[in-house]
Amino acid sequence: APPTSTSTSVTYINTDICDSQNFEEKCKILCSAISPNQPAVTVLSFCLDRVTDQAKALSHFAHLVRLTKGAGLITVALPAKTTLGKINYNQTGIITRGKNAIEDYRLIISHCQKNNLQFFRGGVTQHYSTSVYGYYQVPCYVLLFQSLMKPPQ
């Protein structure tokens, strides 16, 4: 279950970002939860290495950023290659086909720019997490975007 807070206005969407039908339903929920005059931050956190259609995930992310008229933040574990062993990098929809992590991030940025997002800044940070195996930190890359156009009506 997503975290809850009464002191902030955070709306969590827990969905398969590659599922177009489910995604549209979640967009309606999000739009009803945010103030139309208050920009929002859309976060795509640690999923690009777990989806089979990175292009669709990034396109949906760009749509959300445009829809909310705010900023978009993507966090990607280093390296950006998928952790799913069954992924064929020659299949349609896979963006991270670079020879190294930096090239992968450039490919992610390029794809977002094609979806009318402007890249502002990127940097390396640490993601701290726990699992059944204990506490660990994972280096990650953060990419910040803003919409270049108004959302579709």
Side-chain angles (χ1 to χ4, degrees):
T4 58
S5 172
T6 56
S7 63
T8 62
S9 61
V10 176
T11 303
Y12 294 91
I13 297 179
N14 187 7
T15 187
D16 177 355
I17 196 163
C18 294
D19 180 349
S20 293
Q21 181 178 353
N22 191 24
F23 177 77
E24 289 301 322
E25 293 170 15
K26 298 291 183 169
C27 282
K28 290 176 188 174
I29 293 168
L30 176 66
C31 288
S32 67
I34 62 172
S35 169
N37 298 323
Q38 186 174 13
V41 175
T42 301
V43 179
L44 184 64
S45 183
F46 293 100
C47 79
L48 284 182
D49 61 328
R50 293 185 207 100
V51 297
T52 57
D53 193 338
Q54 294 170 337
K56 188 178 284 185
L58 290 171
S59 295
H60 284 170
F61 166 78
H63 177 76
L64 274 175
V65 173
R66 291 191 310 270
L67 194 64
T68 59
K69 303 176 191 132
L73 185 72
I74 299 176
T75 57
V76 184
L78 296 169
K81 298 291 187 230
T82 180
T83 57
L84 298 175
K86 62 185 177 186
I87 299 297
N88 175 357
Y89 278 91
N90 294 320
Q91 75 185 31
T92 304
I94 297 298
I95 302 297
T96 56
R97 296 180 189 192
K99 294 181 175 138
N100 56 50
I102 297 301
E103 193 172 316
D104 282 342
Y105 302 129
R106 287 184 181 137
L107 291 168
I108 293 168
I109 290 166
S110 175
H111 190 81
C112 288
Q113 288 171 330
K114 289 175 187 171
N115 281 279
N116 296 307
L117 294 184
Q118 178 182 5
F119 174 69
F120 276 118
R121 180 167 276 184
V124 177
T125 187
Q126 298 292 320
H127 171 75
Y128 299 93
S129 186
T130 59
S131 72
V132 293
Y133 303 109
Y135 173 82
Y136 59 96
Q137 75 182 53
V138 177
C140 70
Y141 201 77
V142 179
L143 306 162
L144 181 62
F145 297 90
Q146 184 175 2
S147 177
L148 289 175
M149 61 181 273
K150 293 184 178 182
Q153 299 297 325

